[in-house]
Amino acid sequence: MKDLTFSVNPDVCVGCGLCAQDCPSRLLTLPSEGVPSVIPGREDQCIECQHCFAVCPPGALSIFGLNPEDSQPFDYSGLPTPANMRALVRGRRSTRQYLAQNVSPAVLEDLLEDLQYAPTGQNLRFLEYLVVDNLEAMDLLREKSIALAEKALGNGLDSPFIKGMVKIYRRDKVDLLYRGAPHLLVISAPAKKQSSPQQDIALALAYFELLAACRGLGTCWCGYINEVEAVVPGLRELLGLKEGDNFYSVLFGLPKVKYRRLVHREGTAKIRRFG
Ligand SMILES: Cc1cc2nc3c(=O)[nH]c(=O)nc-3n(C[C@H](O)[C@H](O)[C@H](O)COP(=O)(O)O)c2cc1C
């Protein structure tokens, strides 16, 4: 049985019942006298979302030994304005030209910390993050990836896309695969552990992209890696991924270009309404 280390301070609890109402698994019971408690035998259904802890107005409740007093109060007035969010969502672009400069390790750490707040199906937390955190490591990955592609072509791989990619890299030093980026983040989900691996990975990447944009960084999702990995032996191992792991990636770094105006997407979405 899961150990929830659940407790409520009776001197602080106001008996409002918000913790019980907000629990997605309906695990808590609030007696007419006394404080909320976990319904015996239901512990394993806890998805560890900490909503009971976060919603408690006076900070009377502790779960997993967490102390409300050690937690950051949440201030709704600190949220970005709709205009700020709109500028971010509409103005973010995929960056394919980067400065040959490392992103500061402190910024990188902050971004990775923030990523842990991205939601996942059933709040399962098995995503793994591979970070290529400097130019030298990225150059090594680039060279090794191209060498693996060359080997596969030498062994009879028939792929005009990969052939072209290798040729342009060797002849013109243009990196179509990793877009010359100084960094890469690969997010993976171990086989069969996440309940919605593709959605969870995509969501974390989307969060990363927006967080990075607010730090002045450029990003570009890299679906090409998956296309190459599907036919080039050794790339999965090079990225430290196991057979069956889901993964997707984003390139990032300081951008060499600035976009001066928004693109036009008006009318591109087909919107249907029910009822
Ligand atoms: C799932 C996904 C995979 C992508 N893969 C690549 C890629 O491998 N290489 C690349 O240059 N751009 C890639 N992109 C970027 C798209 O081409 C880009 O989002 C699209 O052209 C729109 O441009 P914008 O992001 O600037 O609005 C990918 C985007 C998504 C969402």
Side-chain angles (χ1 to χ4, degrees):
M1 197 206 307
K2 215 179 237 180
D3 178 14
L4 304 188
T5 331
F6 182 92
S7 67
V8 176
N9 183 338
D11 299 331
V12 180
C13 178
V14 293
C16 65
L18 278 177
C19 53
Q21 286 160 25
D22 209 56
C23 173
S25 310
R26 315 290 294 170
L27 295 183
L28 302 180
T29 177
L30 179 65
S32 47
E33 299 274 306
V35 295
S37 60
V38 180
I39 301 168
R42 301 277 297 274
E43 290 84 350
D44 286 347
Q45 290 164 33
C46 175
I47 62 166
E48 303 177 28
C49 65
Q50 300 175 29
H51 275 216
C52 52
F53 174 78
V55 80
C56 176
L61 186 153
S62 171
I63 189 162
F64 311 118
L66 297 170
N67 184 354
E69 281 163 22
D70 296 340
S71 309
Q72 194 179 318
F74 181 60
D75 176 9
Y76 281 84
S77 69
L79 289 176
T81 64
N84 290 155
M85 278 310 283
R86 175 172 273 184
L88 175 60
V89 167
R90 294 189 179 192
R92 168 222 61 83
R93 295 271 70 79
S94 296
T95 298
R96 298 186 183 86
Q97 300 187 71
Y98 294 93
L99 296 176
Q101 231 174 285
N102 289 328
V103 169
S104 107
V107 168
L108 202 43
E109 278 312 304
D110 274 359
L111 291 171
L112 294 172
E113 279 283 314
D114 290 344
L115 265 198
Q116 297 175 61
Y117 289 79
T120 56
Q122 292 178 17
N123 198 35
L124 291 172
R125 300 264 150 209
F126 295 108
L127 293 185
E128 292 179 10
Y129 301 84
L130 169 74
V131 190
V132 182
D133 62 6
N134 62 66
L135 288 160
E136 293 70 31
M138 197 64 209
D139 281 343
L140 188 65
L141 175 63
R142 230 182 299 275
E143 273 302 323
K144 287 195 168 196
S145 304
I146 292 292
L148 286 171
E150 282 172 328
K151 190 171 168 196
L153 291 167
N155 288 338
L157 171 67
D158 180 20
S159 164
F161 162 64
I162 291 178
K163 208 171 177 177
M165 187 187 83
V166 169
K167 189 173 160 191
I168 289 168
Y169 182 75
R170 289 293 182 218
R171 192 188 60 198
D172 307 330
K173 281 276 160 221
V174 171
D175 168 23
L176 292 180
L177 177 57
Y178 299 119
R179 299 289 185 190
H183 300 281
L184 174 73
L185 171 67
V186 182
I187 306 186
S188 60
K192 297 196 181 119
K193 283 202 158 180
Q194 290 292 122
S195 68
S196 45
Q198 289 173 3
Q199 291 81 354
D200 297 344
I201 291 169
L203 197 52
L205 290 171
Y207 271 49
F208 183 82
E209 184 166 50
L210 298 179
L211 287 162
C214 294
R215 303 276 189 151
L217 300 178
T219 56
C220 186
W221 287 51
C222 193
Y224 282 174
I225 303 184
N226 296 65
E227 285 186 42
V228 174
E229 185 279 328
V231 292
V232 169
L235 187 55
R236 178 171 281 268
E237 291 72 14
L238 184 62
L239 296 170
L241 301 167
K242 297 193 188 65
E243 208 50 50
D245 289 355
N246 283 278
F247 75 96
Y248 222 87
S249 320
V250 66
L251 301 157
F252 65 99
L254 288 159
K256 206 192 257 183
V257 282
K258 268 192 172 18
Y259 297 95
R260 306 295 175 172
R261 60 196 60 79
L262 296 186
V263 300
H264 289 262
R265 296 266 166 84
E266 302 93 334
T268 54
K270 184 178 175 193
I271 298 172
R272 302 190 299 122
R273 289 196 165 80
F274 183 81

